Each structure stands twice: as C-alpha cells, then as structure tokens.
Amino acid sequence: MKEKVKEVLEQVRPFLQRDGGDVEFVDVDENGVVKVKLRGACGSCPGALYTLKNGIERTLKQQIPEVKEVVRVD
C-alpha cells in the first residue's frame, strides 16, 4: 500500500506546491493510518488541518479504500 499512497501524494503535491507548500510521506501502518509531514507554507498555515483532512485525506481515501485516516507528524 505504501507505493499506492506515494503515487496519490504525487498527484496532490502540485496543488500544495502552487501555494508554497509540500507534503512528505512518512509511513502507513497496518490499520490504514497514513503519516505525513507538511512542509513549506503548509507547515505553518492556519488552514493546514483543513488541507490535511479535506484535501490529502479525502483524495487518498477515494483512491485507496484501505486508507482510514491521514495524520500529521513533525
């Protein structure tokens, strides 16, 4: 599943980069929890949680049903 997650994050990345941010894949566990780091403008943006849940998490869940949640790690 790691490779699938990385592929989907590559699809999301240009939208984040357009606003000066980025996302870095960290890990995915056996329960379907994906761990990512938000970089650049996304790392300190007040809307980072919205981006994480309504952008990245929603896209991953739509394309990979095994994904249950996306969490931010520092």
Side-chain angles (χ1 to χ4, degrees), residues 1-18:
M1 181 167 35
K2 286 183 182 184
E3 289 307 313
K4 288 181 186 179
V5 170
K6 288 178 182 180
E7 288 175 21
V8 174
L9 289 177
E10 285 301 319
Q11 296 171 15
V12 173
R13 180 169 277 119
F15 297 102
L16 300 173
Q17 290 175 336
R18 189 170 43 209

Side-chain angles (χ1 to χ4, degrees), residues 20-33:
D22 206 350
V23 63
E24 176 186 333
F25 173 77
V26 175
D27 197 17
V28 60
D29 68 20
E30 65 278 352
N31 298 318
V33 177

